[in-house]
Amino acid sequence: MMLKGKRFLITGIADKHSLAMYVAKKVLEFGGSVVCTGLGVSQHHENLSDKAKAFLLSTYTDFQQCVEKELGEDALTRVMDVSLEASMDEFCQDMKKNNIHFDGFLHAIAMDKTIRKKVVKPLLEVSLQEFCETMDVSAYSLIRITKKLSDYEILNPGASICSISYIAAAKVTFHPYRNISIAKAALERITIELADELGRKNGTRVNCVRFSPYMGSKAGNATLNEKDVNYAGEVSPLGNAHPEDLAYDVVNLFRPDAKITGEIRHIDGGYHIMG
Ligand SMILES: NC(=O)c1ccc[n+]([C@@H]2O[C@H](COP(=O)([O-])OP(=O)(O)OC[C@H]3O[C@@H](n4cnc5c(N)ncnc54)[C@H](O)[C@@H]3O)[C@@H](O)[C@H]2O)c1
């Protein structure tokens, strides 16, 4: 029960197959508690089309229902859109009002509109807006969440922050991702800079895990194809890692006494050692 009495913010659950859901379950298994945030309609969205509104409403309903079913009623659910400062303020005010503090959080958020139906746009065709949106949601959000929780004084000293990346942040792999790879590289660099800045400030730890390709989630299914996932599995000495393997590692990083920070580690069956 190494997480007994510890509470974690879990972002990035879309459904029961989300990597974040595996982590949330593991946190509970080890005695911790969770607050889960998902995309949904908030009063801070402006000029939402009917289509976008319907999408956000159904996304949030799916998220809420699966959290209740998989994690039980004690797991709180809230809307949080990391691209909207006001949505984040609202979430933090709500937590503060209810005296809810965190011992860390999982960043499991990525978005890239330049990948459609598994087809990746060449980098030369990526617009500045597409580049910046992907960077904002998938990388800068790590700074934004950390800053908001800190400003509202709801992130305890010595907290553990963890995000999820993949090998494409460093190498062109079996499946070139272009735009999102650059955002993942930024996410990893942000991890290292925050680890130094916050470790010295109050003992906060910041780490990132590069995970194997996984088609079970919505994001994985929308971007990967089976051929590439199988190839990664064949090349990796131990085969592809499973979401459960990732969850164990994150829980280990969440351990209050783990003296680990600034790491970009691999839970990928050894894929990263191959040439
Ligand atoms: N699936 C894989 O193969 C794989 C491999 C390595 C790393 N990852 C990373 O793991 C993380 C989780 O992905 P997943 O595979 O579980 O897919 P997923 O689709 O279950 O999760 C992605 C999440 O990002 C959220 N999100 C997108 N925009 C957001 C915003 N503006 N505000 C708040 N949340 C937003 C979505 O709602 C969704 O819950 C991502 O960072 C992804 O890049 C995935």
Side-chain angles (χ1 to χ4, degrees), residues 115-175:
I115 307 177
R116 290 229 183 265
K117 296 186 180 157
K118 304 179 193 275
V119 178
V120 179
K121 236 189 205 185
L123 203 51
L124 288 187
E125 286 172 27
V126 172
S127 68
L128 176 62
Q129 190 182 346
E130 287 168 335
F131 182 87
C132 291
E133 271 177 14
T134 300
M135 202 53 111
D136 180 13
V137 172
S138 315
Y140 181 75
S141 56
L142 182 62
I143 300 179
R144 192 179 271 139
I145 300 172
T146 309
K147 178 163 170 54
K148 286 290 174 198
L149 298 183
S150 304
D151 286 354
Y152 281 90
E153 297 177 331
I154 53 174
L155 190 62
N156 293 331
S160 177
I161 298 170
C162 192
S163 64
I164 316 177
S165 184
Y166 43 76
I167 191 77
K171 293 183 192 174
V172 178
T173 62
F174 49 90
H175 187 282

Side-chain angles (χ1 to χ4, degrees), residues 12-14 18-19 80-82 108 110 165-166 184 212 214 217 219 224:
I13 295 180
S18 291
L19 294 171
M80 188 172 84
D81 185 328
V82 292
S165 184
Y166 43 76
K184 287 297 187 190
S212 293
Y214 162 67
S217 63
L224 291 160

Side-chain angles (χ1 to χ4, degrees), residues 11-15 17-20 37-39 59 80-84 107-111 137 164-166 177 180 184 187 209-221 223-224:
T11 68
I13 295 180
D15 60 25
H17 303 293
S18 291
L19 294 171
T37 58
L39 270 183
T59 300
M80 188 172 84
D81 185 328
V82 292
S83 65
L84 298 173
H107 178 289
I109 294 171
M111 188 281 298
V137 172
I164 316 177
S165 184
Y166 43 76
Y177 274 111
I180 185 75
K184 287 297 187 190
L187 180 76
V209 183
R210 287 183 184 162
F211 184 57
S212 293
Y214 162 67
M215 281 185 77
S217 63
K218 282 189 176 166
N221 198 266
T223 51
L224 291 160

Side-chain angles (χ1 to χ4, degrees), residues 28 66-76:
L28 300 191
C66 85
V67 168
E68 193 177 323
K69 186 158 176 252
E70 303 290 320
L71 305 176
E73 283 174 4
D74 288 347
L76 295 181

